[in-house]
Amino acid sequence: MKRSVFVTLFFIAFSFVAGAQYVGSQMSYETLDDTELVASMRSHINYLCSPVHKGRKAGSDGERATAEYIYDTLKGYGVDMISPFGGDAFGMKTSSGDTLVSHNVVGFIEGYDSKLKNHYIVVGARMDNLGQNSIMVNGEKKVQTYWGANGNASGISMLLELARKAQQNHILFARSVIFVAFGAGMDGMAGAYYFLNRQFSREQKNIDLMIDLEALGTDENAFYAYTSANDDVNHIVNTLNNEVFPMRPEISYHEIYPADYRVFYAAGIPSVHFTSGRYQQHNTPKDTPDIINYDKMEQESEYIYCFLVHVAGHIDAPSFEKAAVIEKPDYSKKSDVVSYFDTSIRPLFGNSPDPEKFLREWVYYYLKYPREAVDQGIQGKVTVGFIIEKDGKVSNVHIVKGVDPLLDAEALRLVESSPAWKAGRLNGEKVRTAMSIVVEFRLESNKKSARFGINGKIIGKKR
């Protein structure tokens, strides 16, 4: 009896030490009540947010180690692996002209039906994040890590556990199911594009539905299914919502986050994005494992698994509306949202197509450096994304890459209060234009005065 108690206490003590290596992951007695699913998802998220991965930036050693972990986990769960160890490598040019090498990890569960097994449901999630950033605090250079616990370690952890459950119950799946961890999702959804147009191009026409998992770990009650207003997919969601589930998604008719499903939608493939919605820590260093609501994720996972079983076993595949009249499916044209660089006539601020005018005559003219940030010596560059509507008003203002809540809030305030622009145009028609700007907060060395960099710049649309 005494020996048994000693072994138990030793295990608990060891667990506390092992968990301490991950940010925000120190175990407590509360975790002893975790279900097997919650314990697994907690373990995945803690690993993905380990300091050694340095924020999993696309092309980094951290992203590569993440890909290897996902491969090993899927294979350990009995999933057949299509990609080699560490995933299929692909390259892409960065804005600096360098070549970035990222990876997609692909697992496969074959359907039982002789005909439907040649049709596929793709379950995907982005595995990379923003990496690290240097800022100055009180004259000292400090490194910030964008841990990406909810964005998108939560989605990856759920993908892994859905794959495990699907493999254990593979007899339920008439269609084949493909699980994909996309690399370089933060760089123009490059991994999703590579998968669909390179890795799986020959079978692209046989993909009946794409399920995207991103940002599923926050907010007590929010759970959404964004279906791009597809009636067939909405019908499936509503049908399942009539069943008894501890958590059921609300259909969203507005895009909550741009994610990898966009690439599939552009190819005429029905898609659904499951998410718990926007959250304050998005794309900031505060997106750590301690903000995750694991019990809620378990409930979401139960629903999404039943959704997957339904669509993989249903005889009729959801149709893609308007696909028959689209010669070259293009998400940006269909949604009437295009990148700043893709417009034929750029949006105008004060009759100027140069965003520097907006930075110089509005942002930096009215910027008020937060007093508390000055006192703490906080400075850095905040990237703000937004849309110029057809009537010239600014909407959908959000942080693409934050520095500190004080600076982030001021940058958001300035863009949200912007006067109307003149809308951008594509092929002679007004379009909603997505763009991002970099607002630089810079302090003098004596901290008595604050400056804001006039070298703020415009960048292309990125997530």
Side-chain angles (χ1 to χ4, degrees), residues 348-419:
L348 305 178
F349 182 84
N351 293 320
S352 173
D354 186 356
E356 287 286 348
K357 187 177 180 69
F358 175 59
L359 285 164
R360 183 174 57 254
E361 297 187 5
W362 183 262
V363 174
Y364 293 133
Y365 186 82
Y366 291 104
L367 191 151
K368 297 178 181 178
Y369 211 119
R371 186 70 251 175
E372 189 177 347
V374 174
D375 294 340
Q376 296 179 31
I378 301 172
Q379 53 186 324
K381 297 178 180 179
V382 180
T383 305
V384 183
F386 54 99
I387 290 176
I388 305 297
E389 299 288 349
K390 292 181 181 180
D391 62 3
K393 293 180 179 178
V394 170
S395 70
N396 296 79
V397 183
H398 61 280
I399 295 295
V400 175
K401 189 171 185 180
V403 172
D404 179 89
L406 293 169
L407 304 186
D408 296 350
E410 177 62 8
L412 285 174
R413 181 189 71 82
L414 289 159
V415 178
E416 287 173 343
S417 62
S418 168

Side-chain angles (χ1 to χ4, degrees), residues 63-64 73 140 150 231 264 266 341 368 377 399 401 448:
E63 189 200 38
R64 184 165 60 252
T73 302
E140 286 187 48
N150 193 39
D231 286 341
F264 291 80
F341 291 111
K368 297 178 181 178
I399 295 295
K401 189 171 185 180
K448 290 183 179 179

Side-chain angles (χ1 to χ4, degrees), residues 262-275:
R262 281 186 166 192
V263 176
F264 291 80
Y265 186 88
I269 298 170
S271 59
V272 56
H273 178 208
F274 287 110
T275 180

